[in-house]
Every structure is written in structure tokens, then in C-alpha cells.
């Protein structure tokens, strides 16, 4: 089945350009367009979207709050949010992930990269723009706010085996299952199984939450990106 994509941006021309791009992909359908965050939340329900490409700065209800409402709605449990914005400041990245976004890209991303990002997030992976990722992690560690409901507490890492900790450290570095498997000398299927078990043990919604948990627990640090496998 094609990926059902909802586009949320307050600029009509931007939405139209994104719609043409997404529609050009054989494995995607544009099922709706929203000009405000409130419209995005409503259309996510009525259009039965699989993924929302969400701008941050919109009238009526911004993209962060719209993402938070989508993530908190049990009826929209399967809907993923990919935040796309011209702003890559630490605050926006952190807020988007804490609100429930599974991906983050800036708008100067190349068209092919945007389509790949949609596929990645729709498949259940998390995705962050490479540039802001290191700043995101450092920022998360300095934030005084408690993580939102659903983000695993660092103490929960005690439930992980040594191999699962190694896999989690690589996930936090941004490696996908195939890359982590090659690093550890495992099969991709085994690595995928480890990631699924880690998410289950930590109660994590997606890989983005695993990244935050790994850094907040001290398993991985901004200065020493991972412990040695």
C-alpha cells in the first residue's frame, strides 16, 4: 500500500511544491494538505494519514503542539510525524522530539532526501538532520524539564543485556540496523530483533526516544559518542 502523506505548511506554494514531489513517488499518495496546525490534527484523523510532514511555524496551532496532540491521541497511534522547517535551532529539535516527532529535517533538504526521509519514518525508523544532531544531544542533557510521558527513564537501562546496550549505543549514534549489524558482526535480522526488544524493555515509542534515553542515561555522551562494542 502507498504511504498516505499529509502535508502541513502555512505557505500554499510550499505545500504545492511538496505535493508535486510526493505525488511523483510511486509508493506515496498525498491524502491532504493543511495550512494550520489545527487543520493538520483534524486531517490526520479524517484522511487516515500514515505520516504527516509538519512545518513548525504555523498560525492557529504551531507544528510542535499539533505534533503533541497527534502523538497523544490513541486513535492516531500509528501516525508518524516528520518535522520539516527552515529553523534548525536546538530548541525546535528538542521540542519536536519531545512532542512525539519521529524525524526532523530542514527545508533545504534535497528532494530525493525528503522522499527517503518519508519512507524511513513511515517504516518506523527515526531520522534527524545530520547537522543539528550533536547539538540536539548536548541540549537535551542540559534541559531542566522532565522528559514527557512515554520517554524511558535512564534507570530502565539496567534491564538491558550487554549486547542490547551495545546495539542501543550504535542506534544513538544514528546507525541503522544494517550498519549496526556490520559493526557488531551480527545479522541485520538479529540486530532488528535486539532493537525491538530494547524498545519493549524501555517502553520507547520509536528510535528517537531510544536516542534520548541513551544520552540521558550516560550510555553515550556528546564528547564520547558511544562505548566500545
Amino acid at each position: 500500500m502507498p504511504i498516505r502523506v499529509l502535508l502541513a505548511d502555512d505557505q500554499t506554494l510550499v505545500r504545492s511544491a511538496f505535493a508535486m514531489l510526493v505525488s511523483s513517488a510511486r509508493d506515496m499518495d498525498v491524502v491532504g494538505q493543511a495550512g494550520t496546525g489545527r487543520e493538520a490534527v483534524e486531517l490526520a484523523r479524517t484522511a487516515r494519514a500514515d505520516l504527516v510532514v509538519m512545518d513548525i511555524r504555523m498560525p492557529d496551532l504551531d507544528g510542535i503542539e499539533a505534533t503533541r496532540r497527534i502523538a497523544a491521541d490513541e486513535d492516531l497511534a500509528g501516525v508518524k510525524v516528520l518535522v520539516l522547517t527552515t529553523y534548525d535551532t536546538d530548541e525546535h529539535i528538542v521540542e519536536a522530539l519531545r512532542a512525539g516527532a519521529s524525524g526532523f529535517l530542514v527545508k533545504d533538504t534535497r528532494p530525493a532526501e525528503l522522499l527517503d526521509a518519508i519512507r524511513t519514518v513511515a517504516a518506523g525508523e527515526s531520522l534527524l538532520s545530520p547537522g543539528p544532531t550533536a547539538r540536539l544531544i548536548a541540549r537535551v542533557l542540559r534541559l531542566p524539564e522532565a522528559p514527557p510521558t512515554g520517554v524511558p527513564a535512564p534507570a530502565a537501562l539496567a534491564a538491558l543485556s550487554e549486547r542490547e546496550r551495545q546495539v542501543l549505543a550504535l542506534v544513538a549514534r544514528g546507525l541503522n540496523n544494517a550498519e549496526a549489524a556490520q559493526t557488531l558482526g551480527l545479522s541485520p535480522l538479529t540486530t532488528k530483533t535486539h532493537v525491538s526488544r530494547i524498545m519493549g524493555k524501555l517502553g520507547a515509542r520509536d528510535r528517537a526516544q531510544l536516542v534520548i534515553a541513551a544520552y540521558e542515561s550516560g550510555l553515550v555522551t556528546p564528547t564520547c559518542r558511544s562505548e566500545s562494542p
Side-chain angles (χ1 to χ4, degrees):
M1 295 292 291
I3 302 169
R4 299 172 60 82
V5 181
L6 169 63
L7 303 171
D9 195 294
D10 63 335
Q11 299 182 38
T12 304
L13 288 178
V14 172
R15 290 201 313 273
S16 299
F18 286 162
M20 291 179 62
L21 174 63
V22 173
S23 297
S24 70
R26 294 185 177 182
D27 58 341
M28 301 179 195
D29 285 334
V30 176
V31 296
Q33 298 185 39
T36 70
R38 197 174 302 278
E39 289 179 359
V41 176
E42 294 173 354
L43 283 174
R45 296 191 184 101
T46 59
R48 302 183 64 82
D50 297 317
L51 180 143
V52 182
V53 177
M54 184 81 74
D55 187 27
I56 285 182
R57 302 216 172 183
M58 290 188 292
D60 186 26
L61 194 70
D62 65 33
I64 299 296
E65 181 59 29
T67 298
R68 184 174 293 110
R69 295 189 184 188
I70 289 173
D73 191 329
E74 293 183 359
D75 293 335
L76 300 177
V79 179
K80 306 293 184 180
V81 177
L82 173 62
V83 172
L84 190 66
T85 179
T86 54
Y87 305 94
D88 64 349
T89 61
D90 300 330
E91 291 79 4
H92 287 130
I93 301 172
V94 172
E95 288 182 37
L97 291 178
R98 289 193 181 281
S102 295
F104 183 99
L105 286 176
V106 291
K107 284 185 177 178
D108 61 0
T109 299
R110 290 179 297 179
E113 291 177 342
L114 174 58
L115 295 179
D116 286 342
I118 290 174
R119 295 183 182 103
T120 297
V121 173
E125 303 282 345
S126 62
L127 184 144
L128 302 172
S129 287
T133 302
R135 298 198 305 275
L136 158 71
I137 299 307
R139 177 70 179 178
V140 166
L141 292 174
R142 295 195 302 268
L143 285 180
E145 306 97 43
T149 301
V151 174
L157 295 186
L160 302 183
S161 68
E162 182 61 27
R163 177 62 81 187
E164 288 169 343
R165 285 171 175 263
Q166 293 170 356
V167 172
L168 176 57
L170 295 177
V171 169
R173 287 177 50 194
L175 275 66
N176 59 33
N177 289 346
E179 293 166 338
Q182 183 176 14
T183 300
L184 296 174
L186 304 173
S187 71
L189 179 58
T190 298
T191 303
K192 181 178 180 180
T193 299
H194 279 308
V195 172
S196 297
R197 288 176 178 171
I198 294 168
M199 292 179 65
K201 288 182 178 181
L202 299 184
R205 180 180 58 250
D206 54 31
R207 293 169 76 103
Q209 289 193 343
L210 292 184
V211 172
I212 293 177
Y215 279 90
E216 290 188 327
S217 68
L219 179 66
V220 181
T221 67
T223 54
C224 180
R225 297 190 64 183
S226 79
E227 54 182 31
S228 298

